[in-house]
Amino acid sequence: MNKRTLLIGAAAAVAMLPGLAFAQEVTLRLHQFLPPVATVPAKILKPWGEELTAASDGRIVIQHFDAMALGGRPPELLDQARDGVVDLAMTVVGYTPGRYPRTEVFELPFMMKNPVGTSRAFWEMVETDFQESEYQDVKVLGAWVHGPGVIHTKDPVTKLEDMKGKTLRGPTRVINDMLSELGATPVGMPLPAIPEALSKGVVNGTVIPWEVTPSIRLAELVSNHAEFSGDEALYTATIVLVMNKAKYDALPDDLKAILDEKSGAALSTFAAEVMFEYDKPGRDIAVEKGNTIVQLDEAEVARWKEAAQPVVARWVADMDSKGIDGQALIDQAKGLIDKYSN
C-alpha cells in the first residue's frame, strides 16, 4: 500500500469521526412571496440569516429567494418546504385555506390585542399543540402575527354601513368571512396581487397592516384608511417560517442547537416587534401624501364587534365538525394573549 492510499484512507476515517462533524457547512434556500424591499425579508429574514451565519462561524448560510423567485404561487410555499423543493419557506398560513384550522383562532375578529404578545401566544400554541396537530410535515421555526389590520379604500369607510358596496381584498378565509359579515364583498388573494387588482377595479379596497403598504405603494392607489380604536384590532393574519423536516433532522447537533436558539420564541418575538415598529413609517407615507385617515371611535367599534360575532360562532361550529374544540382554542388563545400582552 503506497503513501497516497494510506493518506486517503486516514482522511476518510477522520471525516467519519462524530467529534469532527463541526466541519460540515450547510446552505439553506429560503423562499417567500414578498418583494425584497418589504419589511419581512429586509428587516427580519435577512438579519436573522446573518445572525445564524455569525453564530455558526459561517457554517450556516441562508440563500434568500424573494418574490417567488423559485417559481410557484404563495399558496404552494408550505408544500415546497414539505417536499424539499426549498429548505425554508415563509408565508401567510391562511393562503392555504382550511388546511391549518387551529391556527385560524388568531385570525378571528377582534382577537388580537398587542401583536408582540399575540405572537408569543401563537408560538406557545405551536410548541404545545400545533406543531404536532397541524404542522407535522414541516418544522416550524417561527410563528407570528402582524400589527393591527387596517381598511384601505378608494372611498372612505367611517361607519359600519360604509362597508356595503365595497369589494375588498382579504388574505384568508376567516378574514374574508368577516368582511362578508360586515357587508363587503370579499375577494381572496395574496398580497402581491393587490396593486393590479386595485388598478383594474377588481377590488376597490384591501385590508392589510400599515407596515407592508410601502412595498406595494398602496398610498398611491387608495386615499382613504380606516383604523380602529380600543385594545383589540379588527384582525390580524398568521405568518410562519417553516423548514423541511429531513433537512432539519440532518443538521449536525451543534448547528441544530444554534438554529433552535435563534428561532422559536426569539424569532417570533423579534419578527412581531419589527413588523409593529414599521407600521408607523408606512402610516407616515399616507399622512405625507395627504390621504384621509379615520379612526373609528369606541362606540362605532362596538357596533363592528357585535356585527362580527356570527363569524366567531361559525368558526367554532366548523371546528366542532372537525372534532376540534374551537371554544377551548379561543379561551386558550385569549388567556395567552392576555398573559403576554400585560
Side-chain angles (χ1 to χ4, degrees):
M1 186 177 294
N2 60 34
K3 186 176 180 181
R4 174 178 167 79
T5 305
L6 284 171
L7 287 173
I8 292 172
V14 167
M16 290 189 290
L17 290 174
L20 295 183
F22 66 84
Q24 184 172 337
E25 296 179 1
V26 177
T27 298
L28 302 174
R29 300 189 307 162
L30 194 165
H31 200 203
Q32 57 87 27
F33 63 91
L34 289 165
V37 297
T39 303
V40 173
K43 306 297 183 182
I44 298 171
L45 298 178
K46 283 162 189 171
W48 172 75
E50 290 164 4
E51 193 173 346
L52 282 174
T53 300
S56 65
D57 294 326
R59 292 170 51 222
I60 298 177
V61 175
I62 306 294
Q63 290 183 336
H64 296 270
F65 296 90
D66 305 317
M68 303 305 298
L70 295 179
R73 300 176 302 112
E76 297 166 3
L77 281 163
L78 285 161
D79 286 346
Q80 288 184 357
R82 180 197 65 193
D83 297 340
V85 175
V86 301
D87 303 309
L88 302 163
M90 184 284 298
T91 193
V92 172
V93 179
Y95 285 177
T96 359
R99 188 157 147 193
Y100 305 93
R102 293 167 179 83
T103 299
E104 292 174 338
V105 69
F106 291 103
E107 298 177 4
L108 292 171
F110 301 100
M111 170 66 74
M112 185 188 82
K113 291 184 178 178
N114 174 284
V116 179
T118 303
S119 295
R120 293 180 68 186
F122 182 19
W123 175 255
E124 181 167 324
M125 289 180 74
V126 166
E127 273 197 306
T128 60
D129 180 356
F130 300 167
Q131 175 66 72
E132 295 305 319
S133 62
E134 301 221 293
Y135 301 98
Q136 313 97 316
D137 295 335
V138 291
K139 168 69 176 175
V140 183
L141 297 182
W144 65 92
V145 302
H146 60 61
V150 178
I151 301 175
H152 311 267
T153 50
K154 294 187 175 182
D155 297 321
V157 172
T158 61
K159 58 185 182 300
L160 182 59
E161 288 75 13
D162 292 337
M163 291 289 278
K164 293 190 185 302
K166 298 284 190 298
T167 303
L168 299 180
R169 171 268 177 185
T172 76
R173 74 176 192 121
V174 170
I175 296 162
N176 284 340
D177 189 29
M178 176 191 72
L179 294 174
S180 179
E181 191 65 41
L182 296 174
T185 300
V187 178
M189 67 179 72
L191 183 139
I194 292 173
E196 184 178 3
L198 283 168
S199 298
K200 291 185 174 180
V202 175
V203 298
N204 48 40
T206 184
V207 290
I208 52 173
W210 282 114
E211 161 271 320
V212 78
T213 57
S215 69
I216 58 170
R217 305 173 74 92
L218 186 68
E220 299 175 16
L221 296 168
V222 301
S223 56
N224 293 278
H225 315 271
E227 301 175 326
F228 290 72
S229 59
D231 292 335
E232 295 88 12
L234 171 67
Y235 85 93
T236 191
T238 53
I239 302 162
V240 292
L241 175 67
V242 302
M243 184 171 182
N244 175 265
K245 286 191 82 169
K247 192 76 173 183
Y248 176 81
D249 291 340
L251 289 175
D253 288 344
D254 62 330
L255 293 188
K256 196 177 293 182
I258 291 169
L259 184 61
D260 289 347
E261 179 190 353
K262 301 298 182 183
S263 303
L267 173 59
S268 303
T269 303
F270 170 67
E273 289 171 344
V274 171
M275 289 191 80
F276 194 26
E277 175 188 348
Y278 276 85
D279 274 349
K280 185 181 185 304
R283 189 182 192 276
D284 288 346
I285 290 172
V287 171
E288 290 163 10
K289 193 162 181 59
N291 289 5
T292 301
I293 301 175
V294 174
Q295 186 168 88
L296 307 184
D297 64 27
E298 291 193 17
E300 180 62 24
V301 171
R303 299 180 64 226
W304 290 63
K305 288 182 180 179
E306 183 178 358
Q309 282 309 300
V311 177
V312 179
R314 276 195 294 272
W315 184 81
V316 170
D318 184 35
M319 294 304 102
D320 290 345
S321 73
K322 293 176 166 66
I324 300 169
D325 190 336
Q327 188 58 52
L329 283 175
I330 290 174
D331 295 342
Q332 183 183 5
K334 284 185 173 180
L336 289 172
I337 289 170
D338 287 342
K339 169 186 169 182
Y340 287 120
S341 298
N342 294 330

